[in-house]
Amino acid sequence: MKKRRKNKRIIPVFVIILFVVAIAVIGLHKTGIYRFDFFKDVYKKIDFQLNTNELNIPQDALSFSVYDIEQGEYLFYEGDSQFPTVASLTKLFAIDYALSKVNLEDIVEVNQEVLDIVPAGSSLANLKVGEYTVKQIMEAMLVPSGNDAAYALAYYIAKNELGAGYSATEYIDYFTEQLKKYLVAEGYSKTNLYDPSGYSMQADTHLDDINRVALKLLDYDFVKECVGKSTFSIQTPQGEITWKNTNEFLDKNSPYYNKNVKGMKTGTMASSYSIVALYEEDGKTYLITCLAALSNEGRYKAVESAINTIIK
């Protein structure tokens, strides 16, 4: 008799366990936690945090620096003899030059001719034919790193100076030549550019020039505003356009997310991954520059390592 009573007690407990398991399975299904992608993302976040306590240059990048903006001095600087591929960081120089030629509220007429010559495989802002302000075009160069925007701005400035009657390619070539002259005149002596967007393996740069142009552009409120957001929208006669920032430090869903990074710019070309990061903590601001890391993850790990070992 006693044995039978014991079995009766086990049955309800078993039912309760089955019920709890069923609820858990349903919960996992609804939240998506059961998926492999979820566990992969969790692993990435854990791995990123555990492996960013050492900075190993030049293994992590060809050139790397940490600059204290308030003090006006470097806390770390290595790779002075290196000239990495500049990639989309070219757009910083193109914007700097453009700001000496046009006003932010000037209207840029983007036409199909210039959109058609943007190199295949480029990063795009997906501009449509129509009207944009110079400011919006520059935001399109900074946030999604749109090569179409860089070409549109170059075309606009060159046509203003040369007048009508030239092809889109000729306008872009003219802008590029004037940009080169500007770099020399302004003392960016360690940067060589061949395209307004950075779509060139031959173009190279240096920590000194990148940091100088980045700090110069950060003095503009519109630059700080747009580079500091994970997504950024503009209103145009063609409708609203929303872009996702190429800087994964800003994305709360990214394993690399860091709330103290306030943006700036990435650059990628082939196996060369660069990033300029504006970092703020405890009322202090730093510019962290990583040029030519070997992978996308590598550039974020290098910057995070610098934060953990040099700044903190």
Side-chain angles (χ1 to χ4, degrees), residues 61-257:
L62 283 183
S63 300
F64 196 95
S65 67
V66 179
Y67 184 78
D68 185 323
I69 295 178
E70 276 70 33
Q71 296 299 317
E73 63 182 15
Y74 283 102
L75 304 181
F76 185 92
Y77 185 107
E78 192 162 331
D80 182 60
S81 63
Q82 302 296 330
F83 293 87
T85 300
V86 63
S88 283
L89 296 182
T90 293
K91 296 180 178 74
L92 300 179
F93 297 106
I95 290 173
D96 181 33
Y97 169 58
L99 286 169
S100 72
K101 309 295 291 184
V102 294
N103 298 314
L104 291 178
E105 299 310 315
D106 289 348
I107 301 299
V108 177
E109 186 73 39
V110 175
N111 60 41
Q112 194 60 47
E113 182 187 11
V114 69
L115 295 179
D116 285 343
I117 65 168
V118 177
S122 290
S123 56
L124 300 174
N126 293 311
L127 298 181
K128 299 177 181 178
V129 171
E131 294 183 349
Y132 304 81
T133 65
V134 164
K135 178 184 172 184
Q136 290 173 333
I137 293 292
M138 291 180 176
E139 290 165 341
M141 294 167 67
L142 290 166
V143 180
S145 198
N147 288 3
D148 48 350
Y151 271 53
L153 184 63
Y155 182 99
Y156 170 73
I157 291 174
K159 189 173 182 180
N160 280 350
E161 296 188 3
L162 293 176
Y166 296 86
S167 69
T169 300
E170 288 172 322
Y171 286 130
I172 301 304
D173 289 344
Y174 173 82
F175 176 89
T176 304
E177 290 304 313
Q178 298 308 305
L179 173 57
K180 289 180 181 179
K181 293 177 182 178
Y182 175 81
L183 294 180
V184 172
E186 292 297 308
Y188 296 112
S189 59
K190 301 174 182 178
T191 297
N192 298 290
L193 304 179
Y194 301 94
D195 181 278
S197 70
Y199 199 81
S200 169
M201 285 297 296
Q202 287 72 46
D204 55 20
T205 191
H206 189 275
L207 271 177
D208 294 348
D209 289 354
I210 289 293
N211 289 337
R212 184 178 158 210
V213 72
L215 290 168
K216 186 176 180 181
L217 292 186
L218 285 170
D219 281 338
Y220 290 89
D221 290 339
F222 87 94
V223 172
K224 287 192 72 173
E225 179 188 8
C226 72
V227 300
K229 296 181 178 180
S230 180
T231 59
F232 188 80
S233 300
I234 62 170
Q235 295 290 342
T236 76
Q238 298 74 244
E240 182 179 81
I241 303 176
T242 299
W243 299 302
K244 182 174 176 59
N245 202 306
T246 58
N247 188 343
E248 293 187 61
F249 274 129
L250 304 174
D251 183 359
K252 291 183 178 180
N253 296 316
S254 168
Y256 315 129
Y257 173 69

Side-chain angles (χ1 to χ4, degrees), residues 238-311:
Q238 298 74 244
E240 182 179 81
I241 303 176
T242 299
W243 299 302
K244 182 174 176 59
N245 202 306
T246 58
N247 188 343
E248 293 187 61
F249 274 129
L250 304 174
D251 183 359
K252 291 183 178 180
N253 296 316
S254 168
Y256 315 129
Y257 173 69
N258 188 315
K259 66 179 181 179
N260 293 323
V261 173
K262 306 304 179 181
M264 195 47 198
K265 187 77 182 70
T266 65
T268 305
M269 178 62 69
S271 59
S272 178
Y273 297 81
S274 301
I275 187 170
V276 181
L278 180 66
Y279 182 82
E280 296 180 2
E281 186 174 14
D282 297 330
K284 299 202 68 177
T285 310
Y286 307 87
L287 192 71
I288 307 173
T289 304
C290 172
L291 301 182
L294 297 178
S295 67
N296 180 54
E297 182 182 40
R299 60 179 158 189
Y300 291 103
K301 281 191 172 182
V303 171
E304 192 72 23
S305 295
I307 293 170
N308 293 338
T309 60
I310 297 171
I311 295 176

Side-chain angles (χ1 to χ4, degrees), residues 36-48 255:
F36 175 73
D37 287 348
F38 171 83
F39 292 106
K40 186 170 66 174
D41 290 343
V42 170
Y43 170 77
K44 278 187 177 181
K45 290 180 181 180
I46 295 172
D47 178 67
F48 184 68

